[in-house]
Amino acid sequence: MADAQVWFVSAGPGDPELITVKGRRFIEEADCVIYAGSLVPRELVACAKDGAEVYDSAPMTLEETHAIIREAVAQDKKVVRVHTGDAGLYGAVREQARLLDADGISWAVLPGVTAAFAGAAAAGMSFTVPENTQSLIITRLEGRTPVPEREKLRKLASHGCSMAIYLSSGNPEGVQEELQAGGLDDETPVVLAYRVGWPQQTIVRSTLGKLAATAHENNFTRQTVFLIFPGEDGEDHISKLYDEGFSHGFRA
């Protein structure tokens, strides 16, 4: 909604230039900016205007951040809540939105680039391969946050789709074992994308059989997304889009 009192702005994976033009503009115009400093670089909100209140929510509780938002809205200030990646993916918008709704505060979400897409781009890889795989599964390994039985990693892996596995770098052995149990071959190409979009960004190509060892060798213990590419089989798979024998609405 254009007249929302609070905007959840998706900041992208970390690079200040991977935020959308609209997202940057909203930060520049805001009177109050709250960002998750553990995941969003301070440089990304450095564009906030002079006089804007800028808060790092990393050490705060949900109730503390909500109190800041509520007070700012009461003073008719424009509030921007900055989230890493895309706010709709492994974010905390739901619980914040419930509090805003309870107080009658209007809110809206601005989308952004998530680390999986930025990581694949940095690696020069595509999640979809003509004829081999046309689907991407975004998921995580079960940890302190439970995963429904139907979404266990091995069950999802059995589909043979490309995968982006978040929030699982603390247990790379578990990721590898679950994917193998799901039927993926040890030679399946994988990419380990560490701190995507940050100055420390590291993109490492490996295979499923070496996933855990590669993670340990590079000390990837956090902020790493595992990208799985079962459709990459070393063969040429050409899209029909530019095939001269393939007609569509713009080419006879």
Side-chain angles (χ1 to χ4, degrees):
M1 68 182 66
D3 59 348
Q5 295 165 291
V6 177
W7 277 91
F8 292 97
V9 172
S10 302
D15 185 339
E17 294 184 321
L18 280 180
I19 190 173
T20 64
V21 174
K22 193 170 186 178
R24 180 181 173 89
R25 176 168 65 83
F26 276 27
I27 294 173
E28 291 172 340
E29 295 174 351
D31 303 301
C32 177
V33 178
I34 305 173
Y35 73 104
S38 56
L39 296 171
V40 177
R42 179 65 177 81
E43 292 77 12
L44 209 144
V45 297
C47 62
K49 66 185 179 184
D50 290 342
E53 301 167 354
V54 180
Y55 299 92
D56 179 358
S57 66
M60 298 181 188
T61 64
L62 176 64
E63 290 72 21
E64 288 171 334
T65 59
H66 181 67
I68 291 172
I69 293 173
R70 186 173 54 207
E71 182 177 347
V73 169
Q75 297 175 28
D76 201 28
K77 294 179 179 179
K78 180 178 180 180
V79 180
V80 164
R81 180 72 165 98
V82 184
H83 278 260
T84 186
D86 182 90
L89 186 63
Y90 300 118
V93 173
R94 292 170 61 90
E95 51 264 47
Q96 294 175 83
R98 279 196 292 269
L99 295 178
L100 295 175
D101 288 340
D103 284 340
I105 298 172
S106 61
W107 57 275
V109 179
L110 199 64
V113 178
T114 187
F117 299 135
M125 302 282 281
S126 173
F127 288 117
T128 57
V129 178
E131 302 176 12
N132 268 17
T133 182
Q134 294 291 287
S135 302
L136 167 65
I137 296 174
I138 297 177
T139 188
R140 60 169 299 167
L141 183 69
E142 184 171 50
R144 287 189 296 177
T145 300
V147 171
E149 182 62 32
R150 65 183 179 277
E151 295 181 15
K152 298 295 186 182
L153 203 53
R154 65 179 63 195
K155 290 188 176 182
L156 298 180
S158 69
H159 292 286
C161 304
S162 295
M163 303 181 75
I165 304 172
Y166 284 72
L167 304 172
S168 305
S169 53
N171 185 10
E173 287 85 3
V175 173
Q176 179 175 323
E177 291 168 6
E178 283 294 295
L179 296 178
Q180 290 168 326
L184 293 184
D185 187 89
D186 279 359
E187 296 305 312
T188 300
V190 303
V191 168
L192 291 78
Y194 171 73
R195 288 180 75 84
V196 181
W198 292 65
Q200 304 92 340
Q201 172 180 294
T202 306
I203 306 296
V204 179
R205 293 181 182 233
S206 187
T207 60
L208 177 55
K210 299 177 182 177
L211 184 150
T214 302
H216 288 302
E217 288 167 6
N218 290 275
N219 197 31
F220 292 164
T221 58
R222 60 192 300 271
Q223 292 183 298
T224 302
V225 181
F226 300 109
L227 308 178
I228 317 301
F229 298 93
E232 294 291 351
D233 58 5
E235 303 292 332
D236 286 333
H237 297 275
I238 308 301
S239 168
K240 296 291 186 183
L241 183 59
Y242 298 107
D243 188 328
E244 62 181 14
F246 185 72
S247 62
H248 52 69
F250 294 89
R251 184 176 66 229

